[in-house]
Amino acid sequence: MSEALQINKPTPSIAGEKIIRFDSNSDVRETIYAMKAGASVLITEFYSNGMLLLKELHKHLSNRLPNKTFTEQRAYRAEYHKLSNQILLEITAHQVEVHKAPKIGWIEKLYPDTPNFLLTFPQVQGLNSAWQWYKNGVSVPVLRNKIHPYYGTYFPTRFDHLILFDNWLKRYEGPKKSAIDIGIGSGVLSFQMLQHGFQKVFGTDTNPNAIVGLKEFMGETKLSRKIDLHYGNLFAEIEKETELIVFNPPWLPANSGIENMDEAIYYNKNLFPKFFAEANNRLATNGKLVILFSNLAQITKVSKEHPIEKEIAKGVRFEVEKCLKKAVKVASDKTKRNQHWRGTEEVELWVLTKK
């Protein structure tokens, strides 16, 4: 299946009509004003020149834009995103063409037939971080082994909801013949279920990178016989009934202003109604539907509506067997963003059964 899938990867950039070169002698302020007027900037000499320009861009924006509330933070990030993506780096023979640039294996892996092109500085930074995570692996407290997330695949950086799920799995006494993991991502929930004795997990994802990455990660190992991957939305082409359906959906409703919406973070208004309708047809009579969620949308005032409570209130398909909640650790002091609301954030594990 993976051969036919088109991997998501950064699209090589095309410089704007006006392109200026940035080196150690360039005037930072003039460069930022040129960027605001639409110019593209090519970083030359050292990789650190690009880091310096990004740092100065942050400074410039924070002097001009408020960055306190959740909505202001969103506006600030949008402006930073727009301008920082006008900063370019040259790729030559699959290497970043400046001194002291990181060596990034993804460039050759993702662009085997294109040795020379341009990428934006943030794209290169993203590829570099992703390469470090992939190469070195990421430790997840609930798993015995590290995960090696493929480029462009969501992986957890906070673990409260996974610990909640693990504690629930320890006490789960139902059948363990099969389960469906909706939006498998880097595979964490599926690996948890296998650790707790499930024989087979069917994983789906709309992100081709998740499917290709897990196929590569599992190779010909025993894992590849226990996890059956399907590319597609929600249940993809899976029609079978199962004892357990697990879903860790995005926790924030999409705002119409979000371009290139990140489906791992934001959900559109059709996601939950469609999910519940399809889950109703796939869940065995005495099966359990487990959803990992959070009160993030309510406490950040993004939405008053809670999609799971809304489904339950209809009283048609599902009822609540239990809802476990766990307070989230407050953000570290190192974070620059104002996250005072974190103190009231809770992750939720909902166990629903068919009516």
Side-chain angles (χ1 to χ4, degrees):
M1 180 201 293
S2 58
E3 287 73 26
L5 291 181
Q6 286 294 309
I7 292 279
N8 291 324
K9 60 189 177 189
T11 305
S13 285
I14 294 157
E17 283 179 21
K18 185 166 188 227
I19 184 157
I20 51 179
R21 299 169 81 79
F22 185 83
D23 59 31
S24 327
N25 301 313
S26 302
D27 184 303
V28 173
R29 203 155 155 231
E30 270 179 28
T31 304
I32 290 174
Y33 281 111
M35 285 161 64
K36 288 175 89 167
S40 299
V41 177
L42 183 68
I43 298 300
T44 59
E45 296 181 341
F46 291 96
Y47 188 78
S48 55
N49 288 338
M51 300 296 287
L52 169 77
L53 186 53
L54 283 181
K55 190 178 167 192
E56 293 301 321
L57 178 60
H58 262 308
K59 231 186 264 181
H60 174 86
L61 290 177
S62 53
N63 290 337
R64 283 159 182 76
L65 286 174
N67 189 16
K68 292 279 189 288
T69 68
F70 196 72
T71 316
E72 286 169 353
Q73 286 170 8
R74 233 182 216 185
Y76 179 94
R77 287 200 298 274
E79 184 64 9
Y80 176 76
H81 177 79
K82 176 173 143 310
L83 292 170
S84 62
N85 278 289
Q86 289 164 225
I87 304 171
L88 305 174
L89 281 165
E90 221 168 328
I91 310 295
T92 308
H94 293 122
Q95 300 288 334
V96 181
E97 185 61 47
V98 281
H99 296 301
K100 304 209 170 159
K103 298 270 181 282
I104 306 168
W106 284 129
I107 296 177
E108 195 163 355
K109 212 167 159 63
L110 299 177
Y111 307 91
D113 306 323
T114 318
N116 309 320
F117 54 100
L118 290 171
L119 283 175
T120 71
F121 202 89
Q123 284 172 335
V124 171
Q125 285 181 304
L127 284 165
N128 182 39
S129 306
W131 184 248
Q132 301 309 319
W133 291 322
Y134 174 76
K135 200 174 60 167
N136 303 325
V138 176
S139 295
V140 181
V142 292
L143 295 180
R144 286 193 283 268
N145 301 316
K146 285 182 173 182
I147 56 168
H148 293 265
Y150 198 82
Y151 175 77
T153 302
Y154 169 80
F155 65 92
T157 51
R158 297 161 58 202
F159 309 112
D160 301 278
H161 60 303
L162 302 175
I163 292 164
L164 206 52
F165 183 50
D166 219 62
N167 290 337
W168 180 80
L169 281 170
K170 281 175 190 154
R171 296 174 178 80
Y172 172 76
E173 290 176 350
K176 294 184 175 179
K177 204 164 158 223
S178 75
I180 299 176
D181 180 359
I182 302 294
I184 191 168
S186 49
V188 177
L189 300 181
S190 291
F191 298 150
Q192 282 181 268
M193 289 187 277
L194 294 179
Q195 275 185 181
H196 286 283
F198 275 81
Q199 291 167 34
K200 183 97 175 173
V201 179
F202 296 85
T204 71
D205 211 295
T206 53
N207 179 0
N209 297 36
I211 303 294
V212 171
L214 278 171
K215 270 191 184 297
E216 184 192 277
F217 174 69
M218 297 190 300
E220 299 299 315
T221 63
K222 198 163 65 178
L223 265 183
S224 67
R225 294 189 289 280
K226 292 191 166 185
I227 296 180
D228 194 352
L229 296 167
H230 298 261
Y231 171 64
N233 192 30
L234 292 177
F235 289 84
E237 74 278 21
I238 300 169
E239 295 294 343
K240 72 181 294 307
E241 277 200 347
T242 186
E243 296 98 19
L244 178 64
I245 294 171
V246 177
F247 189 27
N248 179 19
W251 293 346
L252 290 170
N255 164 331
S256 55
I258 297 171
E259 283 181 37
N260 307 325
M261 184 181 92
D262 185 341
E263 291 184 353
I265 299 172
Y266 301 103
Y267 63 85
N268 65 44
K269 62 182 191 303
N270 303 322
L271 177 74
F272 283 95
K274 197 163 183 287
F275 167 72
F276 285 119
E278 291 187 20
N280 193 39
N281 298 329
R282 311 294 195 292
L283 193 62
T285 311
N286 297 315
K288 316 248 185 239
L289 181 55
V290 171
I291 306 169
L292 297 169
F293 207 59
S294 156
N295 63 349
L296 190 57
Q298 285 77 47
I299 60 174
T300 53
K301 309 278 193 290
V302 175
S303 169
K304 289 192 174 77
E305 194 175 88
H306 190 300
I308 303 164
E309 288 173 359
K310 189 179 173 185
E311 169 66 21
I312 298 306
K314 287 181 192 162
V316 179
R317 294 182 280 231
F318 300 102
E319 56 192 4
V320 180
E321 180 182 285
K322 62 175 66 159
C323 176
L324 307 172
K325 296 185 179 184
K326 182 180 193 303
V328 169
K329 288 194 188 79
V330 180
S332 80
D333 297 335
K334 292 180 192 142
T335 186
K336 295 260 180 22
R337 252 186 251 161
N338 183 345
Q339 296 185 325
H340 55 86
W341 40 267
R342 272 276 161 84
T344 52
E345 189 186 351
E346 289 182 326
V347 286
E348 308 164 348
L349 181 142
W350 293 79
V351 185
L352 309 185
T353 53
K354 279 174 113 162
K355 284 206 130 183

